[in-house]
Structures are given as C-alpha cells and as structure tokens.
Amino acid sequence: AMISQSELQVVIDDIKRVADRASRSFSDDDNDDNSGSGDDLTGSSFQQREYAIDRLHADDARDKVFVAILKALAARHNRPSSPKELATCIMKHEFTLLG
C-alpha cells in the first residue's frame, strides 16, 4: 500500500531532523566500535556533499531499513561508511530494529 503525501512528509522531516541534529554536533560519537575506521577525516579527501532528501520516493519511504540507512548517513554527515558502521549507528540511535 502506498503511503500518503502527509506520511511521506513526516518521514522526510524526520530524516531532516536527524541531519540537522548531526550538523549541530561537532563531536563524532558514532564511532564507538573502536574499529579505527571512524578516524577524524579532517584533511582527507572526503568532502561533504548535499543531498536532496525532499526527492525521497514514497515506495522508498515505506522501507524502514532504507529510511534507517538514510538517517545513519545523515547522522554520519553523509561520509562514506561501511555496512558495519551504518549498522552500529542505526542500533545506537535506535533508528529501527535490525535482524
């Protein structure tokens, strides 16, 4: 079943809220897994890119895991992330239940 336009807007607003909260936070406490992959990326070739979350398709907004991944990417400032890093972030912030 399709979600309504208002339900889609709620999902989009929730993702934006996560992104706004992450952009206001300068600490990078997503990387509690101590894998070393969460090192400070200052001075690296990473450059944060803008993303158009307003273009989220209603079919995609219905998928709770996909939306949780989008939230995790937003929380991690849209940095390149491994599946383990994304899963850790999703569980830490309780974006959805995994497994």
Side-chain angles (χ1 to χ4, degrees):
M2 279 293 264
I3 66 172
S4 69
Q5 190 63 33
S6 62
E7 290 170 317
L8 175 61
Q9 193 58 50
V10 167
V11 171
I12 289 171
D13 290 344
D14 194 34
I15 295 168
K16 285 181 178 181
R17 180 188 52 78
V18 170
D20 288 344
R21 187 173 59 215
S23 68
R24 287 193 304 265
S25 170
F26 293 106
S27 67
D28 189 16
D29 55 5
D30 285 347
N31 298 308
D32 294 340
D33 58 84
N34 298 323
S35 65
S37 59
D39 295 338
D40 183 32
L41 296 173
T42 305
S44 72
S45 62
F46 171 73
Q47 181 180 19
Q48 186 172 346
R49 292 186 171 89
E50 293 297 317
Y51 42 90
I53 199 61
D54 290 316
R55 295 176 45 198
L56 180 65
H57 192 277
D59 288 342
D60 295 331
R62 283 188 10 232
D63 187 332
K64 293 185 184 315
V65 173
F66 183 73
V67 170
I69 292 168
L70 292 176
K71 288 179 183 179
L73 287 168
R76 295 182 50 76
H77 307 284
N78 206 22
R79 281 189 222 121
S81 303
S82 72
K84 180 181 178 184
E85 290 169 325
L86 293 174
T88 300
C89 183
I90 289 168
M91 291 185 296
K92 176 183 177 185
H93 296 288
E94 298 177 350
F95 293 143
T96 194
L97 295 176
L98 299 176

